[in-house]
Amino acid sequence: MFTQTLFIQRVTERARSACDISLKSHPHHLPKAPLFAPLPFLLASVFALAPMAVMSADKVDIIPVTVEAVKETSFADVVNEVGKINAIDSATLNFNASEKISAIHFSNGDKVTKGQVIAEQDNIKAKADLDKAKSTLALAKTKLERIEDLLIKEPFALAKQDVDELRENVNLADADFRQKQATMNDYLIKAPFDGQLTSFSQSIGSQIGAGTALVTLYSLNPVEVRYAISQKDLGKAQKGQKVNVTVEAYGNKVFKGLVNYVAPAVDESSGRVEVHAALENPEFKLAPGMFANIKQFYSLGIKRLLVPQNSIIANNDERFVWLVQGDSVVKQVVKLAQNTNDGYAVVTEGLAEGDLVVKTGMQNLKSDSKIKVVQDRNTADKAATSSADKGADSGATPNIEVAE
């Protein structure tokens, strides 16, 4: 109102000045009364144009922008490493005697269960020795039984020393029999646990020495993945932490496991810390020797605030966003942590959950700029998805995995 009044006063003053000049220049040509006749029309024009001038003076540019709310998300601290699949249990199987192989009961790659006989050697001589020991034991027992029956009838028929000798003969024969019986196992290979065989190194009829490897047995469920982490993460890694493992053979299929070993010391040669994790492998898809990509979760469920990376503006070492306040924006300095690799950054200071920040259209913004919020397609899709998620599972938040 003040601006309008001032404008009218100035126009009126200029009009009167113009009239005075006209009178002084031509005093005899125009009558005095008609001189002021145009004045009402001039004032009417002034009043008509005054609002337009005021509107022009008060006009403010309104800048269209898109915005997005700062959101709180569950944060998972993870490390990505490369390692190898290993069998938790493995054994190289061999005979304890030197003889020819007489039987192999399985083929290359077969699965076996604990206690099954895998292969046998020619044990004819050993069996003959066992039979002989068995007969000797039986004879010694018979002699002792006869003497004991006799002593019942005639207590002094035999000296005590002779009776003790007979009893010792029985004990010696029994020990020899058990030894020969145990020796028979030297000619057999039995599975020490459930697992899968590799290929046999020799075939039936081959002469094989004691201790020479015939085949290897692997236990494939569970298996173990071994890898190493940076020594700076030694304090984070703990037994029982979750791991996700993928291998090239099965694309994006994830095998889940738990850490079962963290080395207590840093390896002197590599400067890294060895870690093992056990993985269930009921279908035997994971094989020893496979290279694996490991994702170990140090911590889960840590709440962090996320802001779109597009909203962040860099000014030397300073990072700021345009914060929406009503129909205007203000510059808000923020402190950031790491990016999430999906278009967002973790913000540690400067914003709160639910704050609206400008996402696009900030090129011409300055403090206290007037804005008009428009919704782009991406924002609309996210809003729709967010609403659907809340309806399906109220309060649920997705995990954000942040790589090292």
Side-chain angles (χ1 to χ4, degrees):
M1 187 65 185
F2 174 77
T3 304
Q4 182 176 356
T5 303
L6 180 62
F7 177 78
I8 294 171
Q9 289 175 352
R10 289 180 177 177
V11 171
T12 304
E13 289 173 358
R14 290 183 180 180
R16 287 174 178 173
S17 298
C19 291
D20 290 342
I21 292 171
S22 179
L23 284 172
K24 290 178 181 178
S25 301
H26 308 285
H28 304 291
H29 289 83
L30 294 171
K32 188 172 182 179
L35 177 65
F36 295 97
L39 185 60
F41 297 98
L42 181 62
L43 292 176
S45 300
V46 167
F47 282 103
L49 294 173
M52 297 177 61
V54 172
M55 289 177 62
S56 176
D58 294 341
K59 183 179 179 182
V60 177
D61 289 335
I62 298 177
I63 302 172
V65 297
T66 63
V67 301
E68 186 169 335
V70 176
K71 60 184 179 181
E72 185 180 65
T73 308
S74 292
F75 181 87
D77 186 10
V78 305
V79 63
N80 294 287
E81 296 292 351
V82 176
K84 257 188 179 181
I85 303 296
N86 289 274
I88 293 179
D89 292 320
S90 64
T92 300
L93 306 181
N94 55 266
F95 294 106
N96 291 326
S98 296
E99 268 295 350
K100 289 182 179 181
I101 300 173
S102 61
I104 295 178
H105 299 290
F106 293 91
S107 300
N108 297 335
D110 280 353
K111 296 179 178 65
V112 297
T113 56
K114 182 178 179 178
Q116 284 187 307
V117 176
I118 296 171
E120 300 180 48
Q121 279 180 318
D122 186 351
N123 60 1
I124 294 176
K125 184 177 182 300
K127 191 173 184 306
D129 291 340
L130 177 63
D131 291 340
K132 181 179 178 181
K134 185 177 181 181
S135 297
T136 301
L137 175 59
L139 181 59
K141 286 182 176 180
T142 300
K143 285 183 179 180
L144 180 59
E145 289 172 359
R146 287 176 182 173
I147 293 300
E148 288 176 341
D149 290 341
L150 177 60
L151 290 176
I152 293 173
K153 297 176 183 178
E154 301 180 20
F156 302 101
L158 197 64
K160 185 177 181 301
Q161 181 179 355
D162 295 333
V163 175
D164 291 341
E165 186 176 342
L166 289 173
R167 287 174 178 160
E168 188 62 25
N169 288 339
V170 171
N171 292 336
L172 290 173
D174 182 59
D176 185 56
F177 172 73
R178 285 186 284 107
Q179 181 182 9
K180 296 293 193 296
Q181 194 174 38
T183 300
M184 293 296 295
N185 289 327
D186 292 343
Y187 298 84
L188 301 175
I189 291 179
K190 294 182 179 180
F193 47 79
D194 295 353
Q196 187 171 5
L197 299 169
T198 60
S199 60
F200 289 88
S201 63
Q202 299 192 45
S203 58
I204 295 174
S206 300
Q207 182 76 26
I208 187 169
T212 302
L214 177 65
V215 69
T216 300
L217 176 65
Y218 287 105
S219 176
L220 298 181
N221 187 32
V223 292
E224 190 174 67
V225 61
R226 297 182 183 181
Y227 55 101
I229 60 174
S230 171
Q231 58 181 289
K232 70 181 177 63
D233 291 333
L234 178 57
K236 296 181 181 180
Q238 296 179 6
K239 291 176 64 175
Q241 289 176 339
K242 295 180 179 180
V243 297
N244 286 351
V245 175
T246 58
V247 294
E248 186 177 356
Y250 300 106
N252 294 325
K253 179 177 174 58
V254 176
F255 299 86
K256 298 182 180 294
L258 297 174
V259 173
N260 59 6
Y261 172 76
V262 178
V266 177
D267 183 85
E268 292 185 2
S269 59
S270 66
R272 296 174 68 78
V273 181
E274 186 175 1
V275 179
H276 302 171
L279 308 168
E280 293 298 321
N281 189 33
E283 299 177 4
F284 299 148
K285 288 185 175 182
L286 298 175
M290 278 183 168
F291 285 101
N293 296 308
I294 304 104
K295 185 175 290 183
Q296 180 176 342
F297 294 83
Y298 289 143
S299 57
L300 296 170
I302 300 174
K303 299 296 183 181
R304 291 287 185 268
L305 295 178
L306 296 182
V307 64
Q309 288 179 343
N310 292 344
S311 299
I312 302 167
I313 301 172
N315 181 19
N316 296 324
D317 293 334
E318 183 183 68
R319 300 292 183 271
F320 68 91
V321 298
W322 290 111
L323 179 64
V324 177
Q325 291 188 345
D327 62 351
S328 62
V329 294
V330 295
K331 177 181 175 181
Q332 179 63 50
V333 177
V334 295
K335 287 187 178 181
L336 304 173
Q338 62 268 59
N339 294 333
T340 62
N341 298 324
D342 63 354
Y344 290 87
V346 176
V347 59
T348 57
E349 290 184 22
L351 294 172
E353 183 181 8
D355 283 347
L356 291 178
V357 295
V358 175
K359 187 176 178 183
T360 62
M362 70 273 287
Q363 295 84 352
N364 299 319
L365 291 179
K366 57 184 181 293
S367 290
D368 298 326
S369 289
K370 298 297 181 180
I371 61 167
K372 177 183 179 181
V373 176
V374 296
Q375 193 175 50
D376 63 6
R377 179 173 298 179
N378 291 335
T379 305
D381 291 343
K382 287 182 179 179
T385 303
S386 176
S387 299
D389 291 343
K390 287 182 179 179
D393 185 9
S394 178
T397 55
N399 285 333
I400 301 296
E401 298 176 355
V402 179
E404 182 185 30

